[in-house]
Amino acid sequence: MADESLEVLSEIHLETTEQPGKDGTLLTRFFAQIPTIRANVPPPQVDSDSEIELDADGDVLVPRRTSSLVEQEFHVPHAMGTHIADVGLQVWAGALLMGDFLLNLGRDVLSDAVLELGAETGLTSVVAATTLTACHTQLPAMEPSGDHVVCPQSTSEHQRKPVILCTDAGHRVLTNCRRTVDINRAVCAGLENADIRVRELDWTRCPPCLLATTTDKSPPNVSELDDVAPAPSMSCAFRRARPSPPVLNDGTLHPEKRRKRTANTVPDTNVRPGAENATTPFAWSTQDATVFRQRCAVFLAADVVYVDEWTTAFADTVYALLTAPGLTTARERVLYLTIEKRINFSMDDLDVVAPAYDHFEHVMVHSPRFHAVQMDTGQIPHAFRGYARTPQLELWRITGNIRPRAAPPVGSSAQPA
């Protein structure tokens, strides 16, 4: 288990120049090259009087959309050197890799409502909003088709204002997220056309309003799975006062370990229709919940794997949200996650180990609850400057299995029929 008293500093802040900000925070400007798509000329009018241009081989030259690059600044307030519980106040390399992915491929994968989990400084939400607003203003309306987005005829449904649900836990982190959003509205062109809502989502107490539905469809029964904590029902699992303890190799729970909670929690009841709960400015409204259930097909999580107990709670939350009913589009819900494989030398093992990454693999990559595919980051151009994209930085695409089968017991001699 990680020592939460240790102070850590992101390597990103070793390579950037910070400016003093308010309340003891610093402000860093990040620069990115954003690809834009524009129409050069209108399509040619083919008639008897028009002249058609031909290339050297005699083929017709058809006007096409061309891509160009523009430089965009993103301003991020952050802290320098924090305890593990406050790492959300720093910018990490996974957020910049996610930014590269969104700025280059976001228009092909994003839905018009996006949920970010563990938003940290809020940079990823701002980048996602920038991508969505550019796609809505420069391209035809998007139509979901399978796992990706194509751009056919315009429909009123896809002219809606993009919504980004920027979530994390703790008042300091959420306040900083909102400040990031406010600062960048004056910096990023078109960001006023996106609706970025900063909301608290504690992975140990997922608001039931996100999982509720007007149908009689029951949520998946995760107690049937071998590698997850048994729970009588999904709603009970997310009303626990404490997070899920670590999962042991045999699928049972460790009886001792519990995560120390330092962040404020959000009440999961008493949400007023169309308005925020008066107890916190970051509470969920019924409108937020409706947007999530009906429109949110894409989740983002950038560098959220640090402590095993937190990763277990994150996996539980992701599974519940990925399999939540109510989505009105033909797409399935999908999580795009960046992670850095942090390698250390272990005196106990006398070898290099990556315990946090190993636990992530155990509860998500190898779990029958999920289908996880590692994406090739070598195919994603660099958009953000000022960080090193090491082989340990990874990008994953994860979906939820609605009714996964329990894995056969280890050493089972059962043969297929």
Side-chain angles (χ1 to χ4, degrees):
M1 180 173 179
D3 184 354
E4 296 183 23
S5 66
L6 293 177
E7 188 171 283
V8 294
L9 173 64
S10 170
E11 66 278 6
I12 296 301
H13 300 308
L14 298 176
E15 305 294 335
T16 57
T17 302
E18 294 81 18
Q19 299 176 356
K22 297 179 180 179
D23 304 324
T25 61
L26 300 172
L27 185 71
T28 294
R29 296 191 302 169
F30 291 90
F31 297 89
Q33 297 287 334
I34 300 180
T36 61
I37 294 180
R38 54 188 173 81
N40 266 352
V41 292
Q45 299 296 323
V46 180
D47 56 47
S48 58
D49 298 327
S50 63
E51 294 184 3
I52 299 178
E53 293 187 54
L54 305 177
D55 62 15
D57 297 324
D59 297 323
V60 176
L61 290 174
V62 179
R64 303 182 183 276
R65 294 181 181 273
T66 60
S67 177
S68 60
L69 294 175
V70 296
E71 187 170 77
Q72 175 65 61
E73 289 186 29
F74 296 95
H75 295 187
V76 182
H78 61 88
M80 288 283 284
T82 65
H83 297 299
I84 294 291
D86 292 323
V87 291
L89 294 173
Q90 300 187 61
V91 178
W92 299 87
L96 300 184
L97 173 59
M98 182 67 77
D100 288 348
F101 170 66
L102 294 175
L103 292 175
N104 286 285
L105 302 175
R107 63 179 75 241
D108 295 324
V109 299
L110 291 178
S111 55
D112 70 346
V114 174
L115 171 71
E116 185 184 6
L117 297 159
E120 298 174 340
T121 61
L123 174 60
T124 296
S125 287
V126 171
V127 173
T130 301
T131 302
L132 281 174
T133 54
C135 190
H136 274 239
T137 57
Q138 297 174 11
L139 295 177
M142 297 190 299
E143 180 73 22
S145 176
D147 294 336
H148 300 285
V149 174
V150 295
C151 297
Q153 293 82 9
S154 173
T155 62
S156 59
E157 177 184 357
H158 299 287
Q159 294 296 337
R160 297 176 297 193
K161 195 172 188 178
V163 176
I164 311 295
L165 299 171
C166 174
T167 72
D168 210 312
H171 184 78
R172 289 183 64 198
V173 172
L174 292 169
T175 300
N176 193 61
C177 280
R178 179 163 288 179
R179 185 174 170 218
T180 299
V181 173
D182 293 341
I183 290 174
N184 284 280
R185 288 195 188 280
V187 176
C188 302
L191 201 60
E192 68 277 2
N193 297 321
D195 185 1
I196 307 178
R197 307 177 187 180
V198 179
R199 297 292 180 261
E200 181 147 7
L201 203 166
D202 184 336
W203 300 336
T204 70
R205 301 181 65 192
C206 185
C209 63
L210 300 184
L211 309 177
T213 178
T214 56
T215 70
D216 293 328
K217 182 177 179 181
S218 301
N221 183 2
V222 298
S223 63
E224 299 173 357
L225 307 182
D226 286 350
D227 69 335
V228 297
S233 68
M234 187 65 69
S235 59
C236 292
F238 285 94
R239 287 181 180 271
R240 289 184 297 233
R242 292 182 177 182
S244 301
V247 180
L248 301 182
N249 291 333
D250 60 359
T252 60
L253 300 180
H254 195 292
E256 302 294 336
K257 292 185 178 179
R258 288 294 188 272
R259 171 182 160 195
K260 297 178 181 179
R261 292 296 297 167
T262 58
N264 297 330
T265 56
V266 177
D268 12 75
T269 57
N270 301 322
V271 179
R272 296 182 298 164
E276 293 181 342
N277 193 326
T279 60
T280 170
F282 306 113
W284 292 79
S285 70
T286 53
Q287 183 187 50
D288 298 333
T290 299
V291 167
F292 166 77
R293 292 196 305 268
Q294 296 183 359
R295 297 171 53 186
C296 191
V298 175
F299 306 164
L300 305 173
D303 220 342
V304 298
V305 174
Y306 295 95
V307 180
D308 289 356
E309 291 88 339
W310 300 1
T311 304
T312 300
F314 172 74
D316 289 345
T317 298
V318 167
Y319 182 71
L321 297 178
L322 284 175
T323 57
L327 192 63
T328 57
T329 71
R331 304 177 64 182
E332 66 175 339
R333 300 191 199 270
V334 57
L335 166 70
Y336 293 98
L337 175 144
T338 59
I339 180 173
E340 183 171 2
K341 188 176 184 179
R342 293 178 170 87
I343 300 174
N344 302 291
F345 184 83
S346 169
M347 292 299 296
D348 294 333
D349 301 319
L350 295 179
D351 198 1
V352 291
V353 295
Y357 184 88
D358 292 343
H359 189 72
F360 159 74
E361 284 191 312
H362 179 65
V363 299
M364 297 199 76
V365 176
H366 301 314
S367 168
R369 291 191 295 178
F370 302 103
H371 177 65
V373 177
Q374 186 177 352
M375 302 177 68
D376 183 4
T377 58
Q379 301 299 316
I380 303 173
H382 280 261
F384 276 92
R385 305 201 311 254
Y387 86 104
R389 191 190 291 178
T390 66
Q392 287 72 42
L393 271 177
E394 299 177 357
L395 174 64
W396 289 81
R397 184 184 188 276
I398 300 173
T399 54
N401 294 323
I402 300 297
R403 292 285 180 181
R405 294 182 178 180
V410 177
S412 172
S413 59
Q415 298 294 326

